[in-house]
Amino acid sequence: MPRLSFTLNGRPTEVEVAPGDLLANVLRDRLGLIGTKIGCGEGECGACTVLIDGVSALSCIYPALKVQGRQVTTIEGLSPKGTLHPVQEAYVEHFASQCGYCTPGFIMSTMALLREN
Ligand code: FES
């Protein structure tokens, strides 16, 4: 299997992946970062949103091998010291979590929106 090297939440990361593996599955199943959720699995709902080089991407339809040499940020990367990121705090303060399942995707999309604006 090809060996994928990339930066994940600021840390150099290497993992073996099959050519057809999708980023969401690699993050969750191979690297244990289950904060990224899989809802529809078809690129429609956004629950799986992560940042790739600071741009939002739907990891459920994103080929894992395409992040070779790139920077990937997941919801876990926003609070590496266990404290909430200000965007996460804002979600809590304004009761924006709803059931919470897709909240990580919402927050990562918010991060991309704020970065772009
Ligand atoms: Fe719905 Fe990826 S899980 S867009």
Side-chain angles (χ1 to χ4, degrees), residues 37-49 58-61:
K37 305 301 188 205
I38 298 175
C40 67
E42 299 177 346
E44 296 290 335
C45 73
C48 64
T49 302
L58 300 172
S59 63
C60 74
I61 56 170

Side-chain angles (χ1 to χ4, degrees), residues 44-69:
E44 296 290 335
C45 73
C48 64
T49 302
V50 299
L51 303 182
I52 300 175
D53 294 335
V55 177
S56 66
L58 300 172
S59 63
C60 74
I61 56 170
Y62 203 94
L65 284 173
K66 285 185 69 177
V67 302
Q68 175 68 35

